[in-house]
Amino acid sequence: GQNIDQPTEMTATEGAIVQINCTYQTSGFNGLFWYQQHAGEAPTFLSYNVLDGLEEKGRFSSFLSRSKGYSYLLLKELQMKDSASYLCAVSDSNYQLIWGAGTKLIIKP
Amino acid sequence: EAQVTQNPRYLITVTGKKLTVTCSQNMNHEYMSWYRQDPGLGLRQIYYSMNVEVTDKGDVPEGYKVSRKEKRNFPLILESPSPNQTSLYFCASSTQPGQGAGELFFGEGSRLTVL
Protein backbone atom coordinates (compact mmCIF):
# COMPACT_ATOMS: atom_id res chain seq x y z
CA GLY A 1 0.00 0.00 0.00
CA GLN A 2 0.90 3.64 -0.18
CA ASN A 3 2.05 5.35 2.96
CA ILE A 4 3.27 8.73 4.13
CA ASP A 5 4.76 9.07 7.60
CA GLN A 6 5.44 12.25 9.51
CA PRO A 7 5.62 12.99 13.24
CA THR A 8 2.33 13.84 14.86
CA GLU A 9 3.55 16.80 16.86
CA MET A 10 6.71 18.81 17.41
CA THR A 11 7.61 21.66 19.72
CA ALA A 12 10.21 24.35 19.08
CA THR A 13 11.27 27.70 20.46
CA GLU A 14 10.76 31.07 18.82
CA GLY A 15 13.85 32.08 16.87
CA ALA A 16 15.16 28.52 16.59
CA ILE A 17 15.29 26.07 13.68
CA VAL A 18 13.09 23.01 13.28
CA GLN A 19 13.14 20.15 10.81
CA ILE A 20 9.96 18.23 10.01
CA ASN A 21 10.56 14.86 8.39
CA CYS A 22 8.42 12.96 5.93
CA THR A 23 9.02 9.44 4.66
CA TYR A 24 7.00 7.86 1.91
CA GLN A 25 6.28 4.62 0.12
CA THR A 26 4.18 5.14 -2.99
CA SER A 27 3.38 3.60 -6.33
CA GLY A 28 5.55 5.82 -8.45
CA PHE A 29 6.71 9.33 -7.70
CA ASN A 30 5.95 12.59 -9.45
CA GLY A 31 6.93 15.03 -6.78
CA LEU A 32 6.45 15.91 -3.15
CA PHE A 33 4.49 18.85 -1.78
CA TRP A 34 4.50 20.62 1.56
CA TYR A 35 1.47 22.57 2.73
CA GLN A 36 0.91 24.71 5.81
CA GLN A 37 -2.40 24.64 7.62
CA HIS A 38 -3.27 26.96 10.49
CA ALA A 39 -5.89 25.69 12.89
CA GLY A 40 -9.37 25.94 11.40
CA GLU A 41 -8.08 27.21 8.07
CA ALA A 42 -7.40 25.79 4.63
CA PRO A 43 -4.03 24.33 3.68
CA THR A 44 -1.77 26.62 1.68
CA PHE A 45 1.06 25.58 -0.62
CA LEU A 46 4.62 25.90 0.64
CA SER A 47 6.91 23.95 -1.67
CA TYR A 48 7.30 21.31 -4.36
CA ASN A 49 10.29 19.01 -4.89
CA VAL A 50 10.67 16.57 -7.75
CA LEU A 51 14.47 16.34 -7.98
CA ASP A 52 16.89 15.45 -5.21
CA GLY A 53 18.29 18.30 -3.23
CA LEU A 54 17.38 21.37 -1.29
CA GLU A 55 14.95 24.07 -2.40
CA GLU A 56 15.15 27.28 -0.42
CA LYS A 57 12.38 29.83 -0.18
CA GLY A 58 13.01 32.49 2.40
CA ARG A 59 12.92 31.06 5.93
CA PHE A 60 11.57 27.76 4.62
CA SER A 61 13.56 25.08 2.81
CA SER A 62 12.52 21.66 1.58
CA PHE A 63 14.80 18.71 0.90
CA LEU A 64 14.19 15.55 -1.09
CA SER A 65 16.00 12.23 -1.41
CA ARG A 66 14.13 10.00 -3.85
CA SER A 67 16.39 7.00 -3.24
CA LYS A 68 15.58 7.11 0.47
CA GLY A 69 11.92 8.04 0.10
CA TYR A 70 12.55 10.96 2.40
CA SER A 71 11.91 14.65 2.60
CA TYR A 72 12.15 17.32 5.23
CA LEU A 73 10.87 20.82 5.70
CA LEU A 74 13.28 23.16 7.46
CA LEU A 75 11.96 26.25 9.14
CA LYS A 76 14.48 28.86 10.30
CA GLU A 77 14.12 31.84 12.62
CA LEU A 78 10.86 30.50 13.91
CA GLN A 79 8.07 32.95 14.57
CA MET A 80 4.92 32.46 16.60
CA LYS A 81 2.88 32.62 13.39
CA ASP A 82 4.64 29.44 12.23
CA SER A 83 2.55 27.50 14.72
CA ALA A 84 0.50 25.34 12.38
CA SER A 85 0.21 21.86 10.95
CA TYR A 86 2.53 20.94 8.11
CA LEU A 87 1.23 18.45 5.58
CA CYS A 88 3.41 16.30 3.36
CA ALA A 89 1.86 14.97 0.14
CA VAL A 90 3.35 12.79 -2.59
CA SER A 91 2.18 12.71 -6.20
CA ASP A 92 2.05 9.07 -7.31
CA SER A 93 2.37 7.51 -10.75
CA ASN A 94 -1.15 8.70 -11.66
CA TYR A 95 -0.50 12.21 -10.35
CA GLN A 96 -2.83 11.53 -7.45
CA LEU A 97 -1.80 13.08 -4.15
CA ILE A 98 -1.17 10.81 -1.19
CA TRP A 99 -1.35 12.80 2.05
CA GLY A 100 0.38 12.36 5.36
CA ALA A 101 -1.62 12.98 8.53
CA GLY A 102 0.28 16.19 9.18
CA THR A 103 2.70 17.43 11.83
CA LYS A 104 1.41 19.90 14.36
CA LEU A 105 4.17 22.39 15.16
CA ILE A 106 3.94 24.26 18.46
CA ILE A 107 6.15 27.31 18.88
CA LYS A 108 6.95 28.45 22.40
CA PRO A 109 8.24 31.91 23.31
CA GLU B 1 -9.17 37.80 -6.43
CA ALA B 2 -8.40 34.17 -7.25
CA GLN B 3 -10.32 31.98 -4.89
CA VAL B 4 -12.26 28.82 -4.17
CA THR B 5 -15.57 29.48 -2.44
CA GLN B 6 -17.46 26.92 -0.42
CA ASN B 7 -20.91 27.18 1.13
CA PRO B 8 -22.08 26.70 3.75
CA ARG B 9 -19.08 27.19 6.02
CA TYR B 10 -20.87 25.62 8.96
CA LEU B 11 -23.84 23.29 9.01
CA ILE B 12 -25.59 21.19 11.60
CA THR B 13 -28.09 18.73 10.21
CA VAL B 14 -29.85 15.51 11.12
CA THR B 15 -29.43 11.99 9.84
CA GLY B 16 -31.05 11.41 6.49
CA LYS B 17 -31.67 15.01 5.48
CA LYS B 18 -30.14 15.57 2.06
CA LEU B 19 -27.68 18.40 1.79
CA THR B 20 -25.40 19.98 -0.80
CA VAL B 21 -22.14 21.78 -0.22
CA THR B 22 -21.35 24.08 -3.10
CA CYS B 23 -17.88 24.83 -4.44
CA SER B 24 -16.96 27.40 -7.02
CA GLN B 25 -13.58 28.52 -8.36
CA ASN B 26 -12.76 31.56 -10.49
CA MET B 27 -9.33 30.48 -11.76
CA ASN B 28 -10.49 28.49 -14.79
CA HIS B 29 -8.97 25.34 -13.29
CA GLU B 30 -9.81 22.07 -14.97
CA TYR B 31 -9.15 19.95 -11.91
CA MET B 32 -11.33 20.05 -8.80
CA SER B 33 -11.50 17.80 -5.79
CA TRP B 34 -13.28 17.24 -2.50
CA TYR B 35 -11.51 16.19 0.70
CA ARG B 36 -12.58 15.45 4.19
CA GLN B 37 -10.30 16.03 7.13
CA ASP B 38 -10.64 14.22 10.42
CA PRO B 39 -8.32 14.41 13.44
CA GLY B 40 -5.34 12.09 13.09
CA LEU B 41 -6.30 10.97 9.61
CA GLY B 42 -5.22 13.87 7.47
CA LEU B 43 -6.85 14.77 4.19
CA ARG B 44 -8.78 12.02 2.46
CA GLN B 45 -10.03 12.47 -1.06
CA ILE B 46 -13.73 11.87 -1.67
CA TYR B 47 -14.15 12.60 -5.37
CA TYR B 48 -12.25 14.48 -8.00
CA SER B 49 -12.88 15.82 -11.48
CA MET B 50 -10.31 16.26 -14.22
CA ASN B 51 -12.68 18.29 -16.38
CA VAL B 52 -16.34 19.06 -17.10
CA GLU B 53 -18.53 15.94 -17.05
CA VAL B 54 -15.60 13.81 -15.82
CA THR B 55 -15.66 12.66 -12.19
CA ASP B 56 -13.85 9.85 -10.39
CA LYS B 57 -13.96 8.29 -6.96
CA GLY B 58 -11.26 9.09 -4.47
CA ASP B 59 -10.39 7.08 -1.39
CA VAL B 60 -13.63 7.54 0.57
CA PRO B 61 -16.53 8.07 -1.88
CA GLU B 62 -19.21 6.07 -0.04
CA GLY B 63 -22.21 8.19 0.89
CA TYR B 64 -21.29 11.08 -1.40
CA LYS B 65 -22.13 12.21 -4.91
CA VAL B 66 -20.70 14.95 -7.08
CA SER B 67 -21.37 16.54 -10.43
CA ARG B 68 -19.35 18.72 -12.78
CA LYS B 69 -21.69 20.36 -15.24
CA GLU B 70 -19.71 23.57 -15.43
CA LYS B 71 -15.99 24.16 -15.16
CA ARG B 72 -16.23 26.47 -12.19
CA ASN B 73 -18.64 24.48 -10.00
CA PHE B 74 -18.23 21.16 -8.23
CA PRO B 75 -20.96 20.53 -5.65
CA LEU B 76 -20.75 17.75 -3.07
CA ILE B 77 -24.02 16.00 -2.32
CA LEU B 78 -24.85 13.94 0.74
CA GLU B 79 -28.06 12.14 -0.17
CA SER B 80 -28.66 10.66 3.28
CA PRO B 81 -26.11 12.01 5.76
CA SER B 82 -25.03 9.89 8.68
CA PRO B 83 -23.11 10.81 11.85
CA ASN B 84 -19.89 9.29 10.47
CA GLN B 85 -19.93 12.01 7.84
CA THR B 86 -19.40 14.64 10.50
CA SER B 87 -16.17 16.21 9.37
CA LEU B 88 -14.37 19.23 7.96
CA TYR B 89 -14.71 19.32 4.17
CA PHE B 90 -12.43 21.09 1.74
CA CYS B 91 -12.89 21.75 -1.93
CA ALA B 92 -9.73 22.34 -3.96
CA SER B 93 -8.81 23.19 -7.53
CA SER B 94 -5.67 23.11 -9.63
CA THR B 95 -4.29 23.48 -13.14
CA GLN B 96 -2.08 20.39 -13.21
CA PRO B 97 -2.74 18.28 -10.14
CA GLY B 98 0.23 16.50 -8.69
CA GLN B 99 2.69 18.25 -10.95
CA GLY B 100 5.11 21.11 -10.53
CA ALA B 101 2.65 23.85 -11.33
CA GLY B 102 -0.18 21.89 -9.82
CA GLU B 103 -0.44 23.34 -6.36
CA LEU B 104 -3.89 22.96 -4.94
CA PHE B 105 -5.95 26.00 -4.04
CA PHE B 106 -8.31 25.19 -1.20
CA GLY B 107 -11.60 26.65 -0.17
CA GLU B 108 -12.01 27.84 3.41
CA GLY B 109 -13.65 24.61 4.49
CA SER B 110 -17.13 23.51 5.48
CA ARG B 111 -17.62 22.11 8.95
CA LEU B 112 -20.48 19.64 8.89
CA THR B 113 -22.12 18.05 11.91
CA VAL B 114 -24.66 15.28 11.43
CA LEU B 115 -26.76 14.49 14.50
Side-chain angles (χ1 to χ4, degrees):
Chain A
Q2 307 201 93
N3 193 52
I4 309 288
D5 284 318
Q6 41 180 143
T8 302
E9 187 174 296
M10 298 181 70
T11 302
T13 304
E14 189 177 16
I17 299 173
V18 70
Q19 177 176 309
I20 302 174
N21 295 327
C22 172
T23 58
Y24 62 89
Q25 290 178 307
T26 57
S27 301
F29 180 83
N30 279 304
L32 186 144
F33 294 81
W34 284 97
Y35 283 80
Q36 180 190 58
Q37 185 179 23
H38 286 101
E41 298 183 8
T44 55
F45 171 79
L46 285 178
S47 67
Y48 171 76
N49 294 68
V50 67
L51 299 176
D52 290 350
L54 187 69
E55 295 274 347
E56 297 186 76
K57 193 184 291 186
R59 293 189 299 114
F60 292 12
S61 303
S62 56
F63 172 83
L64 174 67
S65 170
R66 289 173 296 170
S67 62
K68 296 182 179 179
Y70 167 71
S71 173
Y72 67 72
L73 181 69
L74 191 70
L75 290 73
K76 302 177 183 177
E77 301 170 14
L78 285 169
Q79 302 175 9
M80 297 304 293
K81 67 179 182 180
D82 296 330
S83 292
S85 289
Y86 292 86
L87 314 180
C88 173
V90 172
S91 177
D92 70 9
S93 57
N94 295 315
Y95 296 100
Q96 291 301 308
L97 288 177
I98 313 301
W99 293 85
T103 299
K104 182 178 181 180
L105 178 63
I106 300 168
I107 310 296
K108 295 186 175 180
Chain B
E1 179 189 357
Q3 60 185 3
V4 178
T5 304
Q6 297 178 224
N7 281 295
R9 294 286 316 282
Y10 302 92
L11 180 63
I12 300 174
T13 189
V14 295
T15 300
K17 186 176 182 181
K18 180 180 178 180
L19 69 92
T20 299
V21 186
T22 63
C23 175
S24 180
Q25 51 94 4
N26 63 0
M27 295 169 279
N28 202 37
H29 287 165
E30 294 182 342
Y31 178 88
M32 297 186 75
S33 180
W34 275 103
Y35 291 91
R36 61 178 290 173
Q37 187 174 40
D38 302 288
L41 296 180
L43 288 168
R44 292 183 292 168
Q45 191 176 51
I46 303 170
Y47 270 94
Y48 65 97
S49 170
M50 297 297 288
N51 212 329
V52 176
E53 301 293 358
V54 179
T55 61
D56 283 291
K57 295 179 180 179
D59 298 317
V60 289
E62 295 78 19
Y64 304 95
K65 288 175 59 177
V66 292
S67 67
R68 187 88 183 276
K69 297 177 182 176
E70 306 167 282
K71 197 172 189 178
R72 64 183 292 127
N73 295 323
F74 191 44
L76 179 70
I77 303 159
L78 286 73
E79 292 273 1
S80 182
S82 62
N84 65 11
Q85 292 178 299
T86 292
S87 187
L88 178 60
Y89 292 86
F90 287 104
C91 178
S93 71
S94 175
T95 51
Q96 301 171 296
Q99 301 180 51
E103 63 183 275
L104 285 170
F105 291 84
F106 286 84
E108 292 181 297
S110 297
R111 187 167 292 281
L112 171 64
T113 301
V114 183
L115 301 176

